[in-house]
Amino acid sequence: MRASRSVEQIRDALRALQARDLPSHGGRTLAYVYDSGLAEADAIGLEALSMFAGSNGLDPTAFPSLLAMENDLVGVASSVLRAPDSVVGSATSGGTESVLLAVLAARDGSGRRVGDASMVIPTTAHAAFHKAAHYFGVEVIMIDVDPVTFRADAGAMADAIREDTVLIVGSAPSYAHGVIDPIPEIAAIAADRGLRCHVDACIGGWVLPFLDDVPPWTFAVPGVTSISIDLHKYAYTPKGVSLLLHRDSSLRKGHFFASADWPGYTMLNSSMQSTKSGGPLAAAWAVGQWIGVEGYGALAVRARGAALEIARRAPGIPGLRLLVAPDSTLVTLTTDDSCDVFTIADEMLSRGWYVQPQMAYAGAPASLHLTLSAATAESVDEFLAALAEATQAARAAGPVSVDSGLAAAAVALDPETLSDNDFDGLLALAGLADGDGALDLPERMAPVNALLDVAPPRLREALLLAFLDRLSRPTAH
Ligand SMILES: Cc1ncc(COP(=O)(O)O)c(C=O)c1O
């Protein structure tokens, strides 16, 4: 067969598409991506990814290599965590899937069904728990964190437990603020009340075991029943792989699934996907073989060093403040009244650095989130110089203002009862579309973010869902 486009043309087209993306390597994108800075580890990961891209995790007897690599990765994770021999685990497609399955297993293990179960989480728990609640009919009981330490308030969580509660959650660390919840206290409550306790270590699980003076958070803590750890984060492997570990196999049953109720093969799955590419799993295995446990220790120390250096020096920049001391490799900065985080994020982007703006929420101010990879360690001075310039520019511009009429109009809207036309109006109001609903993205996001920042969370969600709907439309052919 003759190719309809040459390989060279396709490659050029791919490059042109990718040129608009944030760079995934180079250490200047401080959210979404993780860069070890190790070219050879990346190369063997990509080789494994393509070698196993077509292999199918649907049937472990057809592709036993995938089962062997999964069991090996779970074995390494168990050893890094010094987990008891009873621990079992499954690979998933990412942190969200690991959290979804932890919630599903807790609900099913309790014998409760859709609409008949609840979980108690701190307000800082990852949004994946809200997605799990939405998918599996588990009510979320959210408890405010300590306003100074941003750590979960275990006492208040205990008081909130109801008769239908099946799960209590802590993070190690939380994404937004980078602090570790008091896991021993949370897990003790779970053990005492006969509940499951999930520790969300999606972002910290491959860093914290290698650092000194980390408060306890693993299976060494009595009462912890499951832990999620993403390999596609700090194990520096290509996207699409996380691990969900359970203290013993009886706790995992709720997310295994079999169906013989049709005339085809008996479907037998450990996670949500059925056909699942072997690529990400093989890549994680290969990268892990190259870096090794000692190598991960060195990478964790480098990333932690960068986080501590930034946490120490950034507050010396006029206008900036450290929100809370980082427990891991995530740093959260905020501003005084002289400027705003959204303008700083725009200014950083124009200087080639991505830092992630976070909206004000539940008493926590709007902030800048920084995920430090090992690859950023060598450019901390450069980063801080850019941050100082960006903050100076934001101070010179003054805090971004939201038109008071616009803010009042936005806040008065009821997201539950809005029509499609109302959404188009809202998008236009937020500067995300023209009046006819055609998307019209501004160069600078600060005015949009500032408007979203004054909107209540439900309205933020409604606006962004409408935005996503308008974004996700087929290209004309
Ligand atoms: C603590 C925590 N949990 C869950 C997730 C969700 O992971 P993913 O984006 O891989 O689905 C993240 C992602 O950053 C996280 O930081």
Side-chain angles (χ1 to χ4, degrees):
M1 191 165 74
R2 212 170 57 80
S4 65
R5 255 175 126 181
S6 77
V7 167
E8 215 25 73
Q9 283 172 327
I10 297 169
R11 197 175 286 131
D12 287 348
L14 287 171
R15 287 206 184 103
L17 283 166
Q18 200 168 39
R20 298 173 56 198
D21 296 348
L22 290 171
S24 60
H25 286 74
R28 295 169 78 98
T29 305
L30 303 192
Y32 307 119
V33 302
Y34 302 79
D35 183 5
S36 67
L38 302 170
E40 223 176 309
D42 288 346
I44 190 63
L46 293 181
E47 200 175 315
L49 189 70
S50 66
M51 257 177 94
F52 286 84
S55 309
N56 195 340
L58 173 63
D59 181 348
T61 62
F63 296 92
S65 60
L66 301 182
L67 182 66
M69 287 189 277
E70 178 173 6
N71 284 339
D72 203 41
L73 285 167
V74 172
V76 174
S78 303
S79 140
V80 163
L81 295 187
R82 301 197 202 303
D85 290 345
S86 58
V87 164
V88 295
S90 300
T92 73
S93 62
T96 298
E97 189 182 345
S98 290
V99 166
L100 290 175
L101 295 182
V103 174
L104 177 64
R107 192 203 70 187
D108 272 28
S110 71
R112 293 185 172 273
R113 292 289 169 261
V114 173
D116 182 32
S118 67
M119 60 179 152
V120 177
I121 69 171
T123 48
T124 49
H126 194 275
F129 289 94
H130 297 278
K131 188 171 191 176
H134 177 64
Y135 278 15
F136 304 134
V138 176
E139 189 182 333
V140 179
I141 303 171
M142 270 201 293
I143 303 301
D144 283 341
V145 296
D146 181 285
V148 176
T149 65
F150 295 96
R151 293 194 173 85
D153 178 344
M157 289 176 77
D159 292 343
I161 291 169
R162 300 192 313 219
E163 191 252 324
D164 67 354
T165 300
V166 298
L167 179 69
I168 175 166
V169 170
S171 309
S174 60
Y175 180 84
H177 304 130
V179 296
I180 302 175
D181 286 328
I183 303 300
E185 292 169 43
I186 294 173
I189 295 163
D192 184 46
R193 306 286 285 269
L195 303 174
R196 296 204 192 188
C197 170
H198 181 75
V199 177
D200 181 1
C202 281
I203 201 158
W206 221 248
V207 168
L208 298 175
F210 306 108
L211 303 181
D212 296 330
D213 302 325
V214 171
W217 62 275
T218 64
F219 288 111
V221 178
V224 170
T225 52
S226 56
I227 300 181
S228 46
I229 298 181
D230 293 356
L231 300 178
H232 65 196
K233 293 192 168 75
Y234 281 102
Y236 296 109
T237 83
K239 301 268 182 276
V241 61
S242 165
L243 298 176
L244 174 60
L245 309 176
H246 295 274
R247 187 178 281 277
D248 64 57
S249 68
S250 71
L251 299 168
R252 178 169 64 176
K253 284 191 183 136
H255 72 72
F256 273 20
F257 180 81
S259 180
D261 248 341
W262 74 307
Y265 59 86
T266 298
M267 184 188 261
L268 180 63
N269 306 143
S270 57
S271 59
M272 293 186 83
Q273 289 174 294
S274 196
T275 281
K276 91 177 152 187
S277 168
L281 186 79
W285 188 86
V287 172
Q289 294 290 305
W290 196 96
I291 296 178
V293 170
E294 240 178 73
Y296 279 119
L299 292 173
V301 168
R302 273 170 74 74
R304 171 74 173 156
L308 289 179
E309 183 76 357
I310 290 170
R312 186 174 67 77
R313 290 168 54 193
I317 298 172
L320 280 186
R321 175 166 82 77
L322 182 67
L323 192 68
V324 58
D327 282 342
S328 180
T329 50
L330 315 177
V331 176
T332 314
L333 301 171
T334 189
T335 61
D336 62 20
D337 292 343
S338 65
C339 56
D340 68 279
V341 295
F342 307 118
T343 305
I344 297 176
D346 282 349
E347 291 290 336
M348 286 298 276
L349 199 57
S350 70
R351 288 167 176 78
W353 293 88
Y354 180 81
V355 294
Q356 190 177 48
Q358 303 184 130
M359 311 277 157
Y361 180 75
S367 57
L368 291 172
H369 167 100
L370 319 179
T371 291
L372 280 315
S373 285
T376 307
E378 62 201 33
S379 22
V380 165
D381 285 343
E382 219 187 308
F383 171 78
L384 286 165
L387 188 61
E389 271 181 38
T391 309
Q392 173 50 35
R395 277 159 63 85
V400 62
S401 62
V402 182
D403 177 86
S404 56
L406 198 66
V411 171
L413 292 166
D414 177 2
E416 304 291 331
T417 56
L418 287 174
S419 67
D420 254 13
N421 281 347
D422 293 332
F423 276 134
D424 286 335
L426 264 180
L427 289 174
L429 201 69
L432 295 172
D434 65 23
D436 303 325
L439 286 180
D440 186 15
L441 284 188
E443 277 273 295
R444 293 175 69 91
M445 288 304 290
V448 176
N449 282 330
L451 179 63
L452 289 172
D453 193 48
V454 296
R458 288 299 79 77
L459 187 57
R460 276 177 209 165
E461 290 164 357
L463 263 172
L464 291 171
L465 286 170
F467 177 58
L468 180 63
D469 174 65
R470 306 311 190 271
L471 278 178
S472 309
R473 295 289 163 89
T475 31
H477 278 270

